[in-house]
Amino acid sequence: MPETWRERMYRVIFEAETPLGRAFDVGLLWAILLSVGVAVTDSVSTLSPATHRILGRLEWAFTLLFSAEYVARLVCTPRPSRYALSFFGLVDLAAVLPTYLRLILPGAESLIVIRTLRLLRIFRVLKLARYLGELSILTYALRASRRKVTVFLGTVLIMATILGALMYLIEGPERGFTSIPRAMYWAIVTVTTVGYGDISPQTVPGQVLAAIAMILGYSIIAVPTGIVSAELVEAARKPPNTRTCHECLSEGHLPVARYCRDCGAELRSLSPLSDQS
């Protein structure tokens, strides 16, 4: 059956497997980058009033553009409420609300609040994640390695507990290690090679234990990187694309997938859209 205008709009906006979809994503990428640049530049107080007025007009232009995009997504998706309550739906809403809130929050006493709300425009940068092709691979790798990373973090926590208890026993409260939690804080800072220096061992046994903790930190610091890298290599062998489920809006399904990996809904075919249709 031929696609309706809503289905065609959905394919262009939510997916990037067609020329129109790729052009939409590239254009939106540039708009997001420019809008974030405008928001960052507008925070510079040394600029002239004329420059701030120009930046303000640009901010309204970007706000209207992203508002139209948000409405288009609500119109074309089969379940608007699901998109509106999703992570990216809330991000899209947070990206346009501050500019409109300036119109309904007048008064000098609310200038500080408005200035704080305008900082939410920086959330537009989170929309970039949707348009990076490698994001699905990275998400898959992190999801696949979460158990290994959890075991690794648990091991580090156990190590920090043991090192903290030993350091508390060796140094004691008179040298700054007033409790085991504070000694654990020192152990975590030392094992992670951060080294704030606000608390340090003074005795020879404590310094020997600190040296052991530093060596352990250097020996295990590359473990999570290796775990995630291995999963990235495995995920790259079958890279997902930008196919999006119409029911739950889950992204990144394999080209051969027939059903959504999250909700089980049947995925629509990958029939390409022509630029003339």
Side-chain angles (χ1 to χ4, degrees):
M1 296 179 60
E3 289 185 321
T4 64
W5 65 270
R6 291 183 62 185
E7 292 172 338
R8 177 182 172 83
M9 183 185 297
Y10 181 92
R11 185 74 63 88
V12 171
I13 293 178
F14 281 91
E15 301 179 4
E17 303 302 319
T18 63
L20 286 176
R22 285 190 292 270
F24 177 84
D25 287 348
V26 170
L28 200 54
L29 264 175
W30 280 107
I32 293 169
L33 290 173
L34 292 174
S35 68
V36 172
V38 168
V40 172
T41 307
D42 194 27
S43 65
V44 180
S45 59
T46 56
L47 296 177
S48 64
T51 303
H52 281 292
R53 285 194 296 270
I54 294 174
L55 293 174
R57 296 189 184 100
L58 289 175
E59 167 60 26
W60 271 109
F62 284 120
T63 298
L64 295 176
L65 175 64
F66 290 124
S67 299
E69 180 221 354
Y70 181 76
V71 172
R73 291 182 183 274
L74 290 175
V75 169
C76 70
T77 184
R79 297 192 177 184
S81 60
R82 187 182 292 271
Y83 163 72
L85 297 177
S86 66
F87 171 75
F88 282 116
L90 295 175
V91 169
D92 292 345
L93 185 61
V96 299
L97 272 184
T99 305
Y100 293 117
L101 288 176
R102 294 170 59 188
L103 300 176
I104 60 176
L105 290 176
E109 67 279 2
S110 63
L111 287 179
I112 297 179
V113 177
I114 294 175
R115 193 174 302 142
T116 304
L117 292 174
R118 292 180 66 190
L119 294 178
L120 292 176
R121 293 179 298 172
I122 306 300
F123 280 106
R124 288 174 182 166
V125 76
L126 296 179
K127 291 158 62 70
L128 292 171
R130 183 190 293 132
Y131 307 104
L132 298 178
E134 290 78 10
L135 177 65
S136 298
I137 297 178
L138 180 60
T139 303
Y140 174 84
L142 293 176
R143 186 181 301 171
S145 60
R146 66 183 182 275
R147 292 186 178 87
K148 299 176 183 177
V149 174
T150 301
V151 172
F152 168 77
L153 292 177
T155 303
V156 172
L157 183 59
I158 293 173
M159 185 187 306
T161 303
I162 296 174
L163 290 173
L166 290 175
M167 187 60 72
Y168 174 74
L169 180 64
I170 294 173
E171 295 292 326
E174 62 274 9
R175 296 182 180 88
F177 294 85
T178 56
S179 63
I180 292 181
R182 182 162 178 79
M184 289 176 59
Y185 157 78
W186 166 87
I188 294 174
V189 170
T190 304
V191 170
T192 56
T193 70
V194 176
Y196 286 130
D198 54 343
I199 179 174
S200 59
Q202 305 298 323
T203 64
V204 174
Q207 292 172 352
V208 171
L209 182 61
I212 295 174
M214 295 174 194
I215 295 174
L216 287 175
Y218 276 111
S219 63
I220 66 175
I221 196 170
V223 172
T225 304
I227 294 174
V228 177
S229 298
E231 296 295 342
L232 279 172
V233 173
E234 181 65 24
R237 295 177 180 176
K238 295 181 180 180
N241 56 22
T242 58
R243 296 181 68 189
T244 305
C245 175
H246 285 65
E247 295 296 327
C248 68
L249 301 180
S250 175
E251 299 181 356
H253 297 86
L254 294 173
V256 296
R258 296 181 57 190
Y259 300 95
C260 176
R261 66 171 182 270
D262 294 326
C263 70
E266 185 175 1
L267 299 175
R268 301 187 179 182
S269 62
L270 282 173
S271 56
L273 292 172
S274 62
D275 294 334
Q276 292 79 17
S277 59

